Amino acid sequence: MVDIVTAMGWNYVSTLASEGNYGESGVEAFVQISREIGGVCIAQSLKIPREPKPGEFDKIIQRLLETSNARAVIMFANEDDIRRVLNAAKRSNQTGHFLWVGSDSWGSKISPVVQQERVAEGAITILPKRASVDGLEKVGRDSSYEQEGKVQFVMDAVYAMAHALHRMHRDLCFGYPGLCPRMSNINGKELLSYIRAVNFNGSAGTPVVFNENGDAPGRYDIFQYQITNKSTAEYKVIGQWTNKLHINMDAMRWRTGDPTLPVSVCSVPCRTGERKKIVKGVPCCWHCERCEGYHYQASEFSCELCPYEQRPDANRTGCQPIPIIKLEWHSPWAMVPVFISMLGILATTFVIVTFVRYNDTPIVRASGREMSYVLLTGIFLCYAITFLMIATPDVAVCSFRRIFLGLGMCFSYAALLTKTNRIHRIFEQGKKSVTAPRFISPASQLVITFSLISVQLVGVFVWFAVDPPHTVVDYGEQRTQDPENARGVLKCDISDLSLICSLGYSILLMVTCTVYAIKTRGVPETFNEAKPIGFTMYTTCIIWLAFIPIFFGTAQSAERMYIQTTTLTISLSLSASVSLGMLYMPKVYIIIFHPEQNVPKRKRSFKAIVTAATMSGKLTQKGGDRPNGEVKTELCESMETNTSSTKTTYVSYSNHAV
């Protein structure tokens, strides 16, 4: 019976026994064997009392329904109890719910199922394999008598006793006729040993032997109570058991015409990717828990975490590599900064070509040709870095990123700082004496500028030595809660801190240049580039003040790579655009569209230039308190006085050169 339940896949069953030796010992043996082989759990064991009270069987059915998943009921009960149990199930409208498995007390008997065929439909019963003994004739020609099925076993039992006594007589009496004195007082245990030792062919032609426990070999026919399409109920042989189960699953029927195998399990099998959490004390019952997050189903009962660079597969039965991504050229995050950068490179190239073509014209010369080309180189690099930031990372790309990321800004702001510092020194020196300050020649300006740039290059080369450039796949940046969306980001091994350090020096130059721009804001625009440079630096500072919160505020975003790269490249391009637009586009406009203004200006003395700047500052302070005519008169008088006092100290500085 345990083999039948196991073959059906019923691992959660209830037992029902009639009170007494047969029923109780049968259930006890069933439970014991179930525990030994495993795989079958007992939901509950119920007992039918010898003298059941009214409503007792209804209570039994209700208790069986408390564990409704345990549909299979193993019955070791007498005929009357079987009939009353089936009747109670019928009254409770449970026809078709229970899966009955009856012992040989049910067998193929008709009496338990009369008038309750539907509720008994599908019941599996067993009966010891038997054969009719030909030696016994029918009682009368027209008699409906059928031979009792246990006649075979009665005859074999008599023959077993006879064979045991015969062998005992032979061993103890040594041919003495009749009962010898040695056998007159037989010890029961001694006789039992002879009985267990017999071996002969029984009345049905099958061997009669006993094992060490005194049990004969089990040979059973297995029946199922079926209702055919013609509504005829009968017990149909579906298999047999002789030390091993042989059952024809295709011959079984459940409900009328339904071949589907019903279930009697505490818990349904877990789906793929779920682990079993066993209910304490009931190994056949469990809860299914899905392996969540980055866990996969390592075994039937456990989930384990995938390696950091992997994620669970679709079934969560293993791990697979996390896809690696990078910023693609066709992505909108790349297309916008690339478009801006290309426009900037074209505009910068146009300015450079224009300056080279009109290199000896007054406006180009007055702009400081050498410093202009340095500044334009920096602007060009600020645009060009966009392509390196979007290119597929490898050792070469990472190396160039380190070099050029801050170099373009360094070129630009080193040149602007040198210019603003020169203007500041000239006018500060002019307030003290008529002698020009040192290091204001073009060569000196280039030396100062490249000295400032060299600091950036030295820092980069030290960075190369301490931490050689290489690529890394960052699996933490886009490690989302849903592993399906997880991605590894291929990037250069440049941390946010390293990035800020790389740009930090350029930002320091920018801030210093802004300070000098503020200091020289009062110098008249007629004489120098201080005001355009000032407006350039103010706008640039606003751009980078906006960049910092955007860059670091998105550090935890899943789109971090896209946002930060786009923000950085656009900020660099905007900074370059501000410098290009404010410092060079007005000059290019004059050179191309108003060449009549591109002529030499009247030279002034160094003292006259400084005096004009000083008087301009005084005018700004007094303009609000005095009438316009009075202020103008004072300015003219001061200019005449200062001009006459410096007739012999001319310094050949063009107003634009200053």
Side-chain angles (χ1 to χ4, degrees):
M1 292 175 75
V2 174
D3 285 350
I4 292 171
V5 170
T6 303
M8 297 295 111
W10 300 338
N11 65 4
Y12 196 52
V13 301
S14 296
T15 62
L16 183 60
S18 294
E19 185 176 3
N21 182 63
Y22 173 79
E24 294 180 33
S25 61
V27 166
E28 182 180 351
F30 182 89
V31 172
Q32 181 180 353
I33 296 173
S34 299
R35 290 174 178 170
E36 289 176 357
I37 67 173
V40 179
C41 297
I42 308 301
Q44 55 181 329
S45 294
L46 304 179
K47 186 188 299 184
I48 304 172
R50 282 194 177 92
E51 298 180 359
K53 298 178 182 180
E56 186 71 36
F57 290 95
D58 293 329
K59 292 180 180 178
I60 290 174
I61 294 299
Q62 294 304 316
R63 290 192 60 187
L64 289 173
L65 289 173
E66 290 175 1
T67 52
S68 58
N69 287 348
R71 295 177 59 191
V73 180
I74 313 302
M75 297 183 67
F76 286 85
N78 58 52
E79 292 182 37
D80 288 340
D81 287 344
I82 294 171
R83 179 175 51 80
R84 287 183 283 186
V85 167
L86 294 176
N87 191 29
K90 182 180 179 180
R91 288 196 304 271
S92 300
N93 294 322
Q94 297 302 320
T95 299
H97 174 75
F98 293 108
L99 306 170
W100 311 107
V101 181
S103 64
D104 59 347
S105 62
W106 185 339
S108 58
K109 296 176 182 176
I110 300 299
S111 59
V113 297
V114 172
Q115 295 184 352
Q116 40 200 25
E117 289 83 2
R118 292 294 179 186
V119 74
E121 183 181 8
I124 299 175
T125 62
I126 63 171
L127 196 63
K129 187 179 287 292
R130 59 187 67 181
S132 297
V133 180
D134 295 335
L136 294 176
E137 298 175 354
K138 293 184 178 180
V139 180
R141 178 181 297 177
D142 299 326
S143 173
S144 61
Y145 164 80
E146 291 185 3
Q147 187 178 120
E148 165 60 45
K150 294 184 176 62
V151 169
Q152 168 197 349
F153 305 115
V154 174
M155 294 178 63
D156 289 344
V158 173
Y159 275 112
M161 179 65 74
H163 279 283
L165 289 172
H166 178 75
R167 186 169 181 178
M168 187 181 211
H169 182 271
R170 186 184 61 188
D171 292 345
L172 299 181
C173 296
F174 302 105
Y176 183 85
L179 189 64
C180 67
R182 176 69 178 79
M183 291 183 65
S184 60
N185 189 12
I186 299 175
N187 185 299
K189 291 184 178 180
E190 187 176 8
L191 176 60
L192 179 61
S193 65
Y194 278 95
I195 294 175
R196 289 185 174 181
V198 299
N199 188 343
F200 64 96
N201 286 332
S203 56
T206 56
V208 177
V209 293
F210 302 98
N211 60 21
E212 64 275 8
N213 296 322
D215 295 324
R219 287 184 288 268
Y220 292 88
D221 284 326
I222 302 172
F223 298 88
Q224 187 181 38
Y225 190 68
Q226 298 180 356
I227 299 178
T228 63
N229 293 332
K230 298 180 180 180
S231 298
T232 302
E234 63 178 351
Y235 289 97
K236 184 175 181 180
V237 177
I238 58 172
Q240 60 183 356
W241 191 94
T242 306
N243 294 324
K244 186 178 180 181
L245 179 66
H246 301 276
I247 192 167
N248 183 4
M249 303 294 288
D250 295 332
M252 304 183 77
R253 292 292 181 272
W254 308 95
R255 310 283 302 264
T256 302
D258 186 3
T260 306
L261 182 66
V263 296
S264 179
V265 295
C266 180
S267 303
V268 296
C270 293
R271 293 177 295 180
T272 303
E274 296 179 341
R275 74 176 185 94
K276 292 181 180 178
K277 186 178 181 181
I278 301 297
V279 176
K280 187 176 182 180
V282 189
C284 296
C285 299
W286 58 80
H287 301 294
C288 294
E289 291 185 349
R290 183 167 176 79
C291 298
E292 296 291 347
Y294 290 82
H295 292 79
Y296 71 99
Q297 184 184 1
S299 68
E300 187 179 4
F301 303 100
S302 65
C303 296
E304 293 184 4
L305 185 65
C306 286
Y308 191 68
E309 69 280 0
Q310 295 183 353
R311 66 180 183 184
D313 56 23
N315 296 325
R316 288 188 176 270
T317 55
C319 297
Q320 61 184 4
I322 295 177
I324 298 175
I325 62 171
K326 62 180 183 64
L327 184 57
E328 301 291 345
W329 292 101
H330 57 77
S331 168
W333 295 99
M335 293 175 68
V336 173
V338 166
F339 178 74
I340 296 174
S341 178
M342 291 180 67
L343 290 180
I345 289 175
L346 291 175
T348 305
T349 304
F350 177 73
V351 172
I352 293 174
V353 170
T354 302
F355 265 53
V356 171
R357 182 177 178 182
Y358 297 94
N359 189 57
D360 292 325
T361 61
I363 286 183
V364 175
R365 296 178 64 186
S367 298
R369 288 175 295 185
E370 297 80 3
M371 298 303 294
S372 291
Y373 291 134
V374 173
L375 180 53
L376 288 170
T377 300
I379 293 173
F380 184 90
L381 292 177
C382 286
Y383 287 124
I385 190 62
T386 297
F387 297 93
L388 286 175
M389 297 301 295
I390 297 175
T392 301
D394 56 30
V395 175
V397 170
C398 293
S399 300
F400 285 122
R401 281 188 189 180
R402 289 191 182 187
I403 295 171
F404 293 105
L405 181 59
L407 192 60
M409 291 178 63
C410 189
F411 263 79
S412 299
Y413 300 125
L416 287 176
L417 175 59
T418 304
K419 274 194 170 189
T420 54
N421 174 263
R422 176 174 179 262
I423 295 171
H424 176 72
R425 288 189 295 116
I426 287 175
F427 284 96
E428 286 298 314
Q429 179 70 16
K431 295 176 182 179
K432 301 175 184 179
S433 68
V434 296
T435 305
R438 301 173 61 188
F439 308 120
I440 61 173
S441 65
S444 300
Q445 296 298 292
L446 287 176
V447 171
I448 295 173
T449 300
F450 283 105
S451 297
L452 294 174
I453 294 172
S454 65
V455 175
Q456 172 77 14
L457 292 175
V458 170
V460 170
F461 291 135
V462 171
W463 188 8
F464 269 75
V466 174
D467 183 18
H470 60 280
T471 59
V472 65
V473 179
D474 187 350
Y475 293 98
E477 183 172 318
Q478 294 198 22
R479 193 175 180 85
T480 56
Q481 291 185 347
D482 184 3
E484 285 297 315
N485 298 326
R487 297 292 184 271
V489 179
L490 177 63
K491 60 198 304 187
C492 293
D493 188 23
I494 302 177
S495 64
D496 290 348
L497 179 60
S498 300
L499 179 67
I500 293 302
C501 291
S502 178
L503 296 175
Y505 179 66
S506 299
I507 294 175
L508 176 62
L509 294 177
M510 179 183 70
V511 172
T512 307
C513 185
T514 305
V515 171
Y516 276 109
I518 294 173
K519 287 184 176 182
T520 58
R521 68 187 183 277
V523 177
E525 186 178 358
T526 309
F527 296 98
N528 59 81
E529 294 180 308
K531 288 187 177 180
I533 292 175
F535 288 132
T536 299
M537 299 317 302
Y538 306 150
T539 308
T540 303
C541 287
I542 293 173
I543 292 172
W544 287 98
L545 285 175
F547 161 79
I548 292 174
I550 295 175
F551 187 88
F552 291 100
T554 58
Q556 303 302 321
S557 171
E559 305 292 331
R560 172 187 173 185
M561 173 186 67
Y562 305 109
I563 297 175
Q564 291 189 343
T565 302
T566 302
T567 303
L568 177 60
T569 52
I570 290 180
S571 296
L572 288 168
S573 295
L574 289 179
S575 300
S577 299
V578 169
S579 300
L580 187 67
M582 291 190 175
L583 298 179
Y584 291 101
M585 285 306 174
K587 296 180 176 60
V588 172
Y589 177 78
I590 292 174
I591 292 173
I592 295 176
F593 297 105
H594 294 283
E596 70 279 1
Q597 297 181 19
N598 191 10
V599 294
K601 301 295 182 179
R602 179 173 59 87
K603 294 184 179 180
R604 294 176 178 228
S605 67
F606 178 75
K607 184 64 177 179
I609 295 171
V610 175
T611 301
T614 305
M615 294 307 300
S616 177
K618 292 180 179 180
L619 282 178
T620 303
Q621 297 174 1
K622 298 177 180 180
D625 301 330
R626 300 182 181 182
N628 291 337
E630 184 179 352
V631 174
K632 185 176 180 181
T633 302
E634 181 179 346
L635 173 61
C636 293
E637 293 175 353
S638 298
M639 288 293 292
E640 289 175 0
T641 304
N642 283 284
T643 302
S644 61
S645 65
T646 56
K647 288 183 179 179
T648 58
T649 54
Y650 287 102
V651 181
S652 298
Y653 289 104
S654 165
N655 57 334
H656 283 284
V658 174

